[in-house]
Structure formats: structure tokens, C-alpha cells
Amino acid sequence: MATSTPASGLGGPQSGPAGPTKESPDGRNGARPRRPWSTLLHRFDIKAAPYAFVAPFFVVFGAFSLYPLLYTAWISLHDVELATMDIMEWEGFGNYSQLWQDDRFWNALANTFTIGVISTVPQLLMALGLAHLLNYKLKGSAFFRVAALTPYATSIGAAALVFTMLFERDFGMINWFLSLFGVDNVDWENSKWPAQFAISSIVIWRWTGYNALLYLAAMQAIPQERYEAAAIDGASRWQQFTKVTIPGIRSTIVFTIVLSTIGATQLFGEPLIFGQGPNGVSGGADNQYQTLGLLLYEEGWKNYEMGRAATVAWAMFLLLILAFVLQRVVKRVKSRTS
């Protein structure tokens, strides 16, 4: 009987070798093609170029800001004298506990706060009003804008010396002007509140124009259509100022408040020169206007206690962080309640 064998490819097992497989362009089966160096360099350039452009800032910041900050924190944990900076005796948080119990620190903190409030609040209010006036189209507006910035360009030393002569007790122009109204001579330097008002006047004179130009730039960015719509609705000039201008520059106002707070915490040159001699370092004979900056200088460069000076510096830094945190908390609470 004849038998038949199944044909190959008709359901039977195939005995031949498997067909050819698809090869990669470089001849390796299943392997990914090798990328040329130009492609790799291009991808590296795209990803690394932005970091290379910003690297100089971080290098300068690390060398002149971050490293001194960390090194100051390290010094604050030791007993170090100015003449022998290479000799450090571990104190831990002893300097901080001594600073907490030091009445001079709390006096300097209170003086810093009061001088900061006396100088910051009038300064920003005057800057806001000056910017509102400069925002109008006035003849010679460029001259007034440059004149507003002139006090900022003046050095602290020159401004403090001039104001020191103005507030001189016996021959100062301020006392001469007050005498026209029957007011006796005021001892501006040796009295607490007069000295703080005099120092605050230096800060106000120097920084009002600078903040006014910041407000002016923010006001000019407000669309004119908002004022036109407010005028159509019958809003007066004051209502336009309070309902359109102030909300439109709110972020700039917050920025100037932060800058003024930092500047008030670091206040140093004005009270130092106002003291006219050894009393300038200690903030007067009774420390009546000694700020945290003056206390830092006194500890480090008069008492030669660099560990204590570094502790004061870090206390100032922590106070600024605390003020920033409180500002963020208040802002978040307002946003939730509104």
C-alpha cells in the first residue's frame, strides 16, 4: 500500500533552518545603534549649558556668602579672640545662653526695633506719596526723579556728618529753628528718643527717594484702562489711588517692607557716626541708641570677643528668618479668611 508524506509547510514540522533575522545597521543582531559623538556632545550641551551659565553666580555666592555664613556659625560655638583667631575653645551654645541673659542685647534689640519703626513707616509713606506725584505728567519730571535718587547716591558718612551738625545741641540748625518757637535746646545725642529720631531722620532722608522710584516703576506698569474705568464709575482721585494704585503695586510694597526690615536690622553707619567718637560704638553713654549692628562691632572690635560677635550676627540672621516666617504666616491666614 502506498503511503504519502506530508509536504513541508502544510501543517507538518519544518526541518529546515529558520529564516534570516533582521540585523541592526551596525551588523549586531538586536543591538541598539551606537550614537555618534556629535549627538552625545549635543545632548550634553543642551543639558549642561544652563548650569554652566549660572555657575559663576553660585561660585561667588558660595565663596562670599555661604562660606562666611557657615564659618560665622562655627565661630559662634567657640570662645575666640580677635588677636588669636587660630585658637578656639569649644563653648557649644554657651555664647547664645550668655547673649540671652545679656541686658545689652535686649536693649540693642529694642533700639533696633524702635528706630526701624520710626524710620521705615514715615519713609515708605512719604515714598508712596512722592511716587504718586511723580507719576503725573509734570514739567521737568526727569529732573525730579534724578533729584529723588540723589540722597541714595550720597555716602552714609557724608550724610551722617551733615545731620550730626544739624542736630548739634548748641549751634545746630534744628535747635535754632526750634528756638524760634520758644523751645529750649534739645540734647539730641545724649537723650534716648531725640537721638533715635535724629538717626531715623538720616535713614528717611537717604532711602525715601530710592523707594519712591521703585513705587513709580510699579505704578507705571499699571494699565491705564483701570484708571479710565474707575473714572467712568465716578471714582475720585483718592479712590483711584486706594482702589487701583495700591492693589496694583502691592507686591512692590511688600518688597520694600522686606528691604527696609533688613536694612533696619543691619543699621550701623548712621548711629556710629552720629555718636562722634567713642560713644558711637556703644550707642551713647547709656547705650540709648545702640543697635544690633553696633553691639556686634563692640563685641568683636572693641572687646575682641569674636565668638560673641558671631553670636550676635547669627541672632540678627535668625531674627530676619523669624520676620520672614511671620510674614508668610500672616499672608496665608489672610488668604484663607478672605
Side-chain angles (χ1 to χ4, degrees):
M1 183 175 61
T3 60
S4 61
T5 59
S8 176
L10 299 177
Q14 298 183 4
S15 58
T21 59
K22 187 177 180 180
E23 294 184 356
S24 59
D26 58 353
R28 295 181 299 171
N29 295 338
R32 299 180 61 183
R34 179 179 298 175
R35 296 175 180 174
W37 279 105
S38 60
T39 304
L40 294 177
L41 290 176
H42 177 69
R43 292 176 61 87
F44 178 78
D45 179 66
I46 293 176
K47 293 183 178 181
Y51 297 98
F53 287 136
V54 300
F57 165 77
F58 287 102
V59 171
V60 174
F61 174 78
F64 296 99
S65 296
L66 183 60
Y67 172 74
L69 182 67
L70 298 178
Y71 187 65
T72 302
W74 177 251
I75 292 179
S76 67
L77 302 177
H78 295 79
D79 183 10
V80 188
E81 293 187 1
L82 180 62
T84 55
M85 289 290 295
D86 55 335
I87 302 176
M88 298 185 181
E89 182 179 352
W90 177 259
E91 288 284 340
F93 291 97
N95 288 330
Y96 290 91
S97 62
Q98 294 177 13
L99 187 68
W100 184 268
Q101 300 172 2
D102 193 349
D103 294 335
R104 294 182 305 150
F105 169 73
W106 296 107
N107 175 70
L109 179 60
N111 292 337
T112 303
F113 177 78
T114 54
I115 295 176
V117 172
I118 296 172
S119 61
T120 300
V121 175
Q123 170 195 155
L124 297 184
L125 292 177
M126 292 170 61
L128 195 60
L130 182 60
H132 185 63
L133 293 177
L134 293 176
N135 195 29
Y136 289 103
K137 295 181 179 180
L138 302 174
K139 292 183 178 180
S141 58
F143 167 77
F144 291 111
R145 294 173 186 177
V146 174
L149 195 61
T150 301
Y152 172 72
T154 306
S155 67
I156 299 177
L161 286 175
V162 171
F163 274 83
T164 299
M165 291 186 290
L166 291 176
F167 285 100
E168 209 276 333
R169 182 186 61 183
D170 297 323
F171 306 102
M173 185 176 294
I174 302 298
N175 279 340
W176 170 81
F177 178 77
L178 294 177
S179 66
L180 300 178
F181 301 92
V183 180
D184 296 333
N185 287 352
V186 180
D187 192 356
W188 296 97
E189 181 183 350
N190 296 320
S191 303
K192 179 177 181 179
W193 290 108
Q196 294 191 12
F197 276 107
I199 295 171
S200 299
S201 66
I202 306 174
V203 179
I204 293 171
W205 177 84
R206 191 164 183 266
W207 289 98
T208 299
Y210 174 81
N211 290 317
L213 292 185
L214 292 180
Y215 290 152
L216 177 62
M219 290 178 182
Q220 292 181 343
I222 300 176
Q224 192 65 27
E225 291 79 7
R226 296 184 183 180
Y227 293 100
E228 295 175 356
I232 293 174
D233 292 338
S236 62
R237 289 285 188 179
W238 175 252
Q239 290 174 335
Q240 293 179 24
F241 178 73
T242 56
K243 302 298 183 181
V244 178
T245 304
I246 298 299
I249 64 171
R250 183 172 297 160
S251 59
T252 306
I253 294 176
V254 174
F255 175 73
T256 55
I257 291 175
V258 172
L259 281 184
S260 300
T261 302
I262 296 175
T265 306
Q266 300 175 346
L267 191 63
F268 173 74
E270 291 85 349
L272 177 65
I273 300 176
F274 184 78
Q276 303 184 48
N279 288 337
V281 177
S282 58
D286 298 327
N287 308 116
Q288 64 267 19
Y289 56 89
Q290 185 178 48
T291 61
L292 290 175
L294 288 179
L295 179 62
L296 185 155
Y297 184 84
E298 183 181 22
E299 290 288 0
W301 282 266
K302 184 179 179 180
N303 301 333
Y304 304 108
E305 293 289 342
M306 295 303 297
R308 295 287 299 274
T311 306
V312 176
W314 257 85
M316 296 166 61
F317 178 68
L318 294 176
L319 286 173
L320 290 176
I321 294 179
L322 179 61
F324 174 76
V325 171
L326 290 177
Q327 185 267 337
R328 298 294 296 178
V329 170
V330 172
K331 183 178 179 180
R332 182 168 298 182
V333 170
K334 286 185 177 180
S335 61
R336 288 182 179 180
T337 55
S338 59

